[in-house]
Amino acid sequence: EVQLLESGGGLVQPGGSLRLSCAASGFTFSTSVMTWVRQAPGKGLEWLSLISGTGGATKYADSVKGRYTISRDNSKNTLYLEMNSLRAEDTAVYYCVKGGGQLSHWYFGLWGRGTLVTVSS
Amino acid sequence: DIQMTQSPSTLSASVGDRVTITCRASQSISSWLAWYQQKPGKAPNLLIYKASSLDSGVPSRFSGSGSGTEFTLTISSLQPDDFATYYCQQYDSYSYTFGQGTKLEIK
Protein backbone atom coordinates (compact mmCIF):
# COMPACT_ATOMS: atom_id res chain seq x y z
CA GLU A 1 0.00 0.00 0.00
CA VAL A 2 1.26 3.45 -0.93
CA GLN A 3 1.52 5.41 2.28
CA LEU A 4 3.12 8.36 4.04
CA LEU A 5 3.13 8.48 7.83
CA GLU A 6 4.25 11.60 9.69
CA SER A 7 5.46 11.70 13.26
CA GLY A 8 7.24 14.06 15.64
CA GLY A 9 4.61 16.72 16.16
CA GLY A 10 3.69 18.04 19.56
CA LEU A 11 3.76 21.04 21.87
CA VAL A 12 6.87 23.23 21.79
CA GLN A 13 7.65 26.58 23.35
CA PRO A 14 8.26 29.70 21.24
CA GLY A 15 11.88 29.75 20.13
CA GLY A 16 12.14 26.00 20.42
CA SER A 17 12.94 23.29 17.87
CA LEU A 18 11.26 20.18 16.57
CA ARG A 19 12.05 17.53 13.99
CA LEU A 20 9.29 15.92 11.96
CA SER A 21 9.68 12.58 10.23
CA CYS A 22 7.75 10.99 7.41
CA ALA A 23 8.00 7.26 6.70
CA ALA A 24 7.22 6.34 3.13
CA SER A 25 6.15 2.96 1.80
CA GLY A 26 4.68 1.39 -1.31
CA PHE A 27 6.61 3.41 -3.91
CA THR A 28 10.18 4.11 -4.99
CA PHE A 29 11.07 6.76 -2.45
CA SER A 30 14.58 7.47 -3.69
CA THR A 31 13.37 8.76 -7.06
CA SER A 32 10.46 10.79 -5.69
CA VAL A 33 10.36 14.53 -5.12
CA MET A 34 8.99 15.12 -1.63
CA THR A 35 7.52 18.20 -0.02
CA TRP A 36 6.08 19.56 3.22
CA VAL A 37 2.83 21.51 3.31
CA ARG A 38 1.15 22.94 6.40
CA GLN A 39 -2.29 24.10 7.40
CA ALA A 40 -2.90 26.39 10.35
CA PRO A 41 -6.09 25.70 12.33
CA GLY A 42 -9.11 26.74 10.26
CA LYS A 43 -6.90 28.17 7.52
CA GLY A 44 -5.73 27.27 4.04
CA LEU A 45 -2.75 25.34 2.73
CA GLU A 46 0.82 26.63 2.61
CA TRP A 47 3.69 24.95 0.75
CA LEU A 48 6.88 24.97 2.83
CA SER A 49 9.70 23.05 1.24
CA LEU A 50 10.71 20.59 -1.47
CA ILE A 51 13.57 18.15 -1.89
CA SER A 52 14.73 16.23 -4.94
CA GLY A 53 14.98 12.46 -5.00
CA THR A 54 18.71 12.44 -4.32
CA GLY A 55 18.46 15.20 -1.73
CA GLY A 56 20.83 17.34 -3.75
CA ALA A 57 18.31 20.11 -4.44
CA THR A 58 16.05 21.85 -1.95
CA LYS A 59 13.61 24.76 -2.10
CA TYR A 60 11.91 26.75 0.66
CA ALA A 61 9.06 29.18 1.08
CA ASP A 62 10.20 32.62 2.23
CA SER A 63 8.20 32.19 5.45
CA VAL A 64 10.47 29.37 6.66
CA LYS A 65 13.75 29.97 4.81
CA GLY A 66 16.63 29.98 7.25
CA ARG A 67 14.56 28.38 10.04
CA TYR A 68 13.47 25.06 8.51
CA THR A 69 15.64 22.40 6.90
CA ILE A 70 14.31 19.58 4.73
CA SER A 71 16.32 16.39 4.35
CA ARG A 72 15.87 12.73 3.52
CA ASP A 73 17.42 9.33 4.19
CA ASN A 74 16.74 7.15 1.18
CA SER A 75 18.16 4.10 2.96
CA LYS A 76 15.35 4.45 5.50
CA ASN A 77 12.65 5.73 3.11
CA THR A 78 12.22 8.69 5.43
CA LEU A 79 11.75 12.42 4.94
CA TYR A 80 12.54 14.97 7.63
CA LEU A 81 11.76 18.57 8.50
CA GLU A 82 13.95 20.25 11.08
CA MET A 83 12.20 23.32 12.50
CA ASN A 84 14.03 25.93 14.55
CA SER A 85 13.15 29.30 16.11
CA LEU A 86 9.52 28.29 16.19
CA ARG A 87 6.83 30.96 16.48
CA ALA A 88 3.17 30.87 17.45
CA GLU A 89 2.27 31.35 13.77
CA ASP A 90 4.01 28.05 12.95
CA THR A 91 1.20 26.22 14.75
CA ALA A 92 -0.35 23.96 12.13
CA VAL A 93 -0.89 20.46 10.85
CA TYR A 94 2.19 19.53 8.84
CA TYR A 95 1.71 17.23 5.87
CA CYS A 96 4.31 15.15 4.11
CA VAL A 97 3.49 15.02 0.41
CA LYS A 98 4.85 13.14 -2.60
CA GLY A 99 5.31 15.29 -5.65
CA GLY A 100 3.91 14.47 -9.04
CA GLY A 101 4.91 16.13 -12.28
CA GLN A 102 8.26 17.02 -13.82
CA LEU A 103 11.26 19.35 -13.66
CA SER A 104 10.19 22.37 -11.59
CA HIS A 105 6.47 21.69 -12.03
CA TRP A 106 5.34 19.63 -9.03
CA TYR A 107 1.80 19.11 -7.90
CA PHE A 108 1.02 17.25 -4.69
CA GLY A 109 -0.10 13.76 -5.53
CA LEU A 110 0.03 11.74 -2.32
CA TRP A 111 -0.54 13.17 1.16
CA GLY A 112 0.16 11.80 4.59
CA ARG A 113 -2.37 12.16 7.40
CA GLY A 114 -0.44 15.03 8.95
CA THR A 115 1.07 15.75 12.35
CA LEU A 116 0.05 18.66 14.57
CA VAL A 117 2.65 21.12 15.78
CA THR A 118 1.57 23.54 18.48
CA VAL A 119 3.87 26.42 19.44
CA SER A 120 2.79 27.87 22.76
CA SER A 121 4.15 28.72 26.17
CA ASP B 1 4.92 35.19 -5.63
CA ILE B 2 1.98 34.22 -7.81
CA GLN B 3 -1.31 34.90 -6.05
CA MET B 4 -4.26 32.54 -6.52
CA THR B 5 -7.82 33.79 -5.95
CA GLN B 6 -10.78 31.44 -5.79
CA SER B 7 -14.43 32.34 -6.11
CA PRO B 8 -16.79 31.97 -4.51
CA SER B 9 -15.47 31.43 -0.97
CA THR B 10 -18.61 29.54 -0.07
CA LEU B 11 -21.06 27.80 -2.35
CA SER B 12 -24.42 26.33 -1.33
CA ALA B 13 -25.82 23.68 -3.63
CA SER B 14 -28.04 20.60 -3.70
CA VAL B 15 -27.41 17.00 -4.64
CA GLY B 16 -27.65 16.72 -8.42
CA ASP B 17 -26.65 20.33 -9.09
CA ARG B 18 -23.92 21.30 -11.53
CA VAL B 19 -21.41 23.59 -9.83
CA THR B 20 -18.41 25.57 -10.98
CA ILE B 21 -15.56 26.99 -8.93
CA THR B 22 -13.22 29.58 -10.43
CA CYS B 23 -9.53 30.12 -9.74
CA ARG B 24 -7.64 33.13 -11.01
CA ALA B 25 -3.84 33.51 -11.08
CA SER B 26 -2.09 36.87 -10.71
CA GLN B 27 0.03 36.06 -13.77
CA SER B 28 0.03 33.42 -16.45
CA ILE B 29 0.77 29.90 -15.23
CA SER B 30 0.14 28.10 -18.53
CA SER B 31 -1.69 24.90 -17.50
CA TRP B 32 0.27 24.29 -14.31
CA LEU B 33 -2.76 24.12 -12.05
CA ALA B 34 -4.06 21.45 -9.70
CA TRP B 35 -7.31 21.05 -7.75
CA TYR B 36 -7.69 19.34 -4.38
CA GLN B 37 -10.62 18.26 -2.25
CA GLN B 38 -10.39 18.35 1.53
CA LYS B 39 -12.88 17.01 4.05
CA PRO B 40 -12.88 18.09 7.72
CA GLY B 41 -10.06 16.53 9.70
CA LYS B 42 -8.56 14.86 6.63
CA ALA B 43 -5.64 15.53 4.33
CA PRO B 44 -6.32 17.06 0.94
CA ASN B 45 -6.82 14.71 -1.98
CA LEU B 46 -5.64 15.44 -5.53
CA LEU B 47 -8.47 15.65 -8.06
CA ILE B 48 -7.01 17.28 -11.16
CA TYR B 49 -3.54 18.23 -12.39
CA LYS B 50 -2.29 20.16 -15.39
CA ALA B 51 -5.58 22.05 -15.38
CA SER B 52 -7.69 19.27 -16.89
CA SER B 53 -6.13 15.85 -16.23
CA LEU B 54 -8.16 13.72 -13.85
CA ASP B 55 -6.11 11.89 -11.23
CA SER B 56 -6.48 8.13 -11.04
CA GLY B 57 -9.67 7.00 -9.32
CA VAL B 58 -11.35 10.42 -9.37
CA PRO B 59 -14.96 10.23 -10.57
CA SER B 60 -15.64 11.53 -14.06
CA ARG B 61 -18.21 14.03 -12.77
CA PHE B 62 -15.19 16.20 -11.86
CA SER B 63 -13.59 18.18 -14.66
CA GLY B 64 -11.17 21.04 -14.98
CA SER B 65 -10.51 23.60 -17.67
CA GLY B 66 -8.61 26.78 -18.39
CA SER B 67 -5.14 28.06 -19.09
CA GLY B 68 -3.13 31.20 -18.53
CA THR B 69 -4.81 32.98 -15.62
CA GLU B 70 -8.39 31.65 -15.54
CA PHE B 71 -9.35 28.14 -14.46
CA THR B 72 -12.51 26.30 -13.46
CA LEU B 73 -13.41 23.15 -11.59
CA THR B 74 -16.81 21.74 -12.50
CA ILE B 75 -18.78 19.01 -10.77
CA SER B 76 -21.42 17.88 -13.21
CA SER B 77 -23.88 16.35 -10.77
CA LEU B 78 -23.20 16.83 -7.06
CA GLN B 79 -23.13 13.73 -4.89
CA PRO B 80 -23.41 13.70 -1.08
CA ASP B 81 -19.71 12.80 -0.83
CA ASP B 82 -18.71 15.97 -2.72
CA PHE B 83 -19.54 18.44 0.04
CA ALA B 84 -16.08 19.56 1.11
CA THR B 85 -13.57 22.37 0.66
CA TYR B 86 -11.78 22.72 -2.66
CA TYR B 87 -8.38 24.33 -3.27
CA CYS B 88 -6.58 25.27 -6.44
CA GLN B 89 -2.77 25.34 -6.53
CA GLN B 90 -0.35 26.74 -9.06
CA TYR B 91 2.88 24.90 -9.76
CA ASP B 92 4.30 27.06 -12.51
CA SER B 93 7.23 28.06 -10.36
CA TYR B 94 8.83 27.24 -7.07
CA SER B 95 7.01 28.96 -4.23
CA TYR B 96 3.90 26.98 -5.03
CA THR B 97 0.77 28.76 -3.89
CA PHE B 98 -2.79 27.74 -3.13
CA GLY B 99 -6.07 29.54 -3.45
CA GLN B 100 -7.86 30.38 -0.21
CA GLY B 101 -10.38 27.58 -0.67
CA THR B 102 -14.05 27.21 -1.62
CA LYS B 103 -16.34 25.55 0.88
CA LEU B 104 -19.12 23.62 -0.84
CA GLU B 105 -22.10 23.35 1.47
CA ILE B 106 -25.41 21.54 1.30
CA LYS B 107 -28.29 23.89 0.53
Side-chain angles (χ1 to χ4, degrees):
Chain A
E1 181 188 4
V2 179
Q3 187 171 280
L4 297 168
L5 188 60
E6 303 93 338
S7 60
L11 176 64
V12 60
Q13 292 190 336
S17 299
L18 208 58
R19 187 175 85 155
L20 306 182
S21 299
C22 171
S25 60
F27 63 95
T28 307
F29 181 74
S30 61
T31 60
S32 298
V33 164
M34 299 296 298
T35 72
W36 289 96
V37 175
R38 71 181 177 186
Q39 186 170 36
K43 303 296 184 181
L45 301 165
E46 180 186 16
W47 170 77
L48 300 177
S49 185
L50 174 149
I51 187 168
S52 64
T54 63
T58 58
K59 298 287 184 182
Y60 296 92
D62 288 344
S63 59
V64 302
K65 197 175 296 182
R67 298 191 300 126
Y68 288 15
T69 302
I70 192 171
S71 62
R72 64 194 298 159
D73 185 339
N74 286 344
S75 69
K76 296 181 178 179
N77 284 356
T78 302
L79 177 72
Y80 303 101
L81 186 67
E82 186 79 36
M83 305 184 295
N84 298 314
S85 304
L86 284 163
R87 310 162 179 164
E89 54 265 36
D90 296 318
T91 294
V93 174
Y94 285 71
Y95 294 103
C96 167
V97 190
K98 178 181 178 295
Q102 58 183 358
L103 299 175
S104 64
H105 304 294
W106 302 106
Y107 57 86
F108 304 140
L110 174 69
W111 297 65
R113 292 183 179 180
T115 187
L116 176 63
V117 172
T118 302
V119 183
S120 174
S121 54
Chain B
D1 288 1
I2 299 173
Q3 307 302 316
M4 305 301 292
T5 304
Q6 287 182 233
S7 61
S9 295
T10 305
L11 179 57
S12 296
S14 302
V15 172
D17 284 353
R18 177 184 180 90
V19 300
T20 297
I21 299 169
T22 298
C23 180
R24 187 172 288 113
S26 60
Q27 64 190 69
S28 178
I29 57 170
S30 185
S31 296
W32 304 116
L33 185 100
W35 289 97
Y36 304 86
Q37 178 194 67
Q38 186 178 33
K39 296 181 180 178
K42 301 292 187 182
N45 182 51
L46 175 69
L47 297 174
I48 288 170
Y49 62 95
K50 212 168 183 184
S52 61
S53 296
L54 212 61
D55 193 37
S56 176
V58 175
S60 59
R61 62 181 180 272
F62 291 91
S63 64
S65 65
S67 65
T69 61
E70 293 269 341
F71 301 88
T72 59
L73 172 70
T74 299
I75 309 173
S76 61
S77 178
L78 272 176
Q79 298 303 300
D81 192 48
D82 300 338
F83 292 95
T85 299
Y86 293 84
Y87 293 93
C88 62
Q89 175 235 334
Q90 68 81 17
Y91 56 104
D92 178 61
S93 63
Y94 291 113
S95 194
Y96 308 108
T97 45
F98 292 87
Q100 81 279 15
T102 294
K103 186 175 183 180
L104 181 52
E105 299 180 328
I106 300 174
K107 184 183 284 184

